[in-house]
Coordinates of all heavy atoms in Angstrom, one line a residue:
N63 N 49.2 146.6 77.3 CA 48.2 145.6 77.0 C 48.9 144.4 76.5 O 50.1 144.4 76.1 CB 47.1 146.1 76.1 CG 47.6 146.5 74.8 OD1 48.3 145.8 74.1 ND2 47.4 147.8 74.4
G64 N 48.2 143.3 76.3 CA 48.8 142.0 75.9 C 49.2 142.1 74.4 O 50.1 141.4 74.0
T65 N 48.4 142.8 73.6 CA 48.7 142.8 72.2 C 50.1 143.5 71.9 O 50.9 143.0 71.1 CB 47.6 143.5 71.4 OG1 46.4 142.8 71.7 CG2 47.8 143.6 69.9
L66 N 50.3 144.7 72.6 CA 51.6 145.3 72.4 C 52.7 144.4 73.0 O 53.9 144.4 72.4 CB 51.6 146.7 73.2 CG 51.1 147.9 72.4 CD1 50.9 149.1 73.3 CD2 52.1 148.2 71.2
L68 N 52.7 141.1 72.8 CA 52.9 140.1 71.7 C 53.8 140.7 70.6 O 54.7 140.1 70.1 CB 51.6 139.6 71.2 CG 50.8 138.6 71.9 CD1 49.4 138.4 71.3 CD2 51.6 137.3 72.0
S87 N 41.9 130.7 68.6 CA 42.4 131.7 69.6 C 41.7 133.0 69.4 O 40.9 133.1 68.4 CB 43.9 131.8 69.6 OG 44.4 132.8 70.5
F88 N 42.0 134.0 70.2 CA 41.5 135.4 70.0 C 42.4 135.9 68.8 O 43.6 135.6 68.7 CB 41.7 136.2 71.3 CG 41.3 137.6 71.2 CD1 39.9 137.9 70.9 CD2 42.1 138.6 71.4 CE1 39.5 139.2 70.8 CE2 41.7 139.9 71.3 CZ 40.4 140.2 71.0
A90 N 44.0 138.5 68.3 CA 45.3 139.2 68.5 C 46.5 138.3 68.3 O 47.6 138.8 68.0 CB 45.3 139.7 69.9
T91 N 46.3 137.0 68.5 CA 47.5 136.1 68.3 C 48.0 136.2 66.9 O 49.2 136.5 66.7 CB 47.0 134.6 68.6 OG1 46.3 134.5 69.8 CG2 48.2 133.6 68.6
V133 N 49.2 128.8 71.9 CA 48.3 129.5 72.9 C 47.9 128.5 73.9 O 47.5 127.3 73.6 CB 47.1 130.1 72.2 CG1 46.1 130.7 73.2 CG2 47.4 131.0 71.1
D159 N 51.6 132.6 73.6 CA 50.5 133.5 73.9 C 49.8 132.9 75.1 O 49.1 132.0 75.0 CB 49.5 133.7 72.7 CG 48.4 134.6 73.0 OD1 48.2 134.9 74.2 OD2 47.8 135.1 72.1
A161 N 48.0 134.5 77.3 CA 47.0 135.5 77.7 C 45.9 134.9 78.7 O 45.4 135.6 79.5 CB 46.3 136.1 76.5
H162 N 45.7 133.6 78.6 CA 44.7 133.0 79.4 C 45.3 132.3 80.7 O 44.6 131.7 81.5 CB 43.9 131.9 78.7 CG 43.2 132.4 77.4 ND1 42.6 131.5 76.5 CD2 43.0 133.6 77.0 CE1 42.1 132.2 75.6 NE2 42.3 133.5 75.8
S183 N 48.1 138.7 79.3 CA 47.2 139.9 79.2 C 46.5 140.1 80.5 O 46.0 139.2 81.2 CB 46.1 139.6 78.1 OG 45.1 140.6 78.3
F184 N 46.4 141.4 80.9 CA 45.6 141.7 82.1 C 44.4 142.6 81.8 O 44.0 143.5 82.5 CB 46.5 142.6 83.1 CG 47.9 142.0 83.4 CD1 49.0 142.8 83.5 CD2 48.0 140.6 83.7 CE1 50.2 142.2 83.8 CE2 49.2 140.0 84.0 CZ 50.4 140.9 84.1
H185 N 43.8 142.2 80.6 CA 42.6 142.9 80.1 C 41.5 142.7 81.1 O 41.5 141.7 81.8 CB 42.3 142.4 78.7 CG 41.1 143.1 78.2 ND1 39.8 142.6 78.1 CD2 41.0 144.4 77.6 CE1 39.0 143.4 77.6 NE2 39.6 144.5 77.3
K188 N 40.0 139.2 81.6 CA 40.9 138.1 82.0 C 40.8 137.8 83.5 O 40.3 138.6 84.3 CB 42.3 138.4 81.6 CG 42.5 138.8 80.1 CD 42.1 137.7 79.2 CE 42.8 137.8 77.8 NZ 42.0 138.5 76.8
E194 N 43.5 147.5 81.7 CA 44.2 147.1 80.5 C 45.6 146.8 81.0 O 46.1 147.4 82.0 CB 44.3 148.1 79.5 CG 43.0 148.5 78.8 CD 42.8 147.7 77.4 OE1 43.5 146.8 77.1 OE2 41.8 148.1 76.7
G195 N 46.3 145.8 80.4 CA 47.6 145.5 80.8 C 48.1 144.3 80.2 O 47.4 143.5 79.7
Y286 N 37.9 130.2 82.0 CA 36.7 130.0 81.1 C 36.0 128.7 81.5 O 36.6 127.8 82.1 CB 37.1 130.0 79.6 CG 37.8 131.2 79.2 CD1 39.2 131.3 79.4 CD2 37.1 132.3 78.7 CE1 39.9 132.5 79.0 CE2 37.8 133.5 78.3 CZ 39.2 133.6 78.5 OH 39.8 134.7 78.1
F317 N 36.1 129.8 70.5 CA 36.5 130.8 69.5 C 35.9 130.4 68.2 O 36.3 129.5 67.5 CB 38.0 130.7 69.4 CG 38.7 131.3 70.6 CD1 39.2 130.5 71.7 CD2 38.8 132.7 70.8 CE1 39.7 131.1 72.8 CE2 39.3 133.3 71.9 CZ 39.8 132.5 72.9
Ligands
LIG1 C1 43.0 138.8 75.4 C2 43.9 138.1 74.5 C3 45.0 138.8 73.8 C4 45.1 140.3 73.8 O1 45.4 140.8 75.0 P1 45.0 142.4 75.3 O2 45.5 142.6 76.6 O3 43.5 142.5 75.2 O4 45.6 143.2 74.2 C5 45.8 138.0 73.1 N1 45.7 136.7 72.9 C6 44.7 136.0 73.5 C7 44.6 134.5 73.4 C8 43.8 136.7 74.3 O5 42.7 136.0 74.9

Side-chain angles (χ1 to χ4, degrees):
N63 59 57
T65 303
L66 273 170
L68 280 172
S87 179
F88 182 62
T91 309
V133 177
D159 180 339
H162 302 173
S183 165
F184 309 140
H185 183 258
K188 306 299 204 265
E194 292 264 9
Y286 301 88
F317 288 100

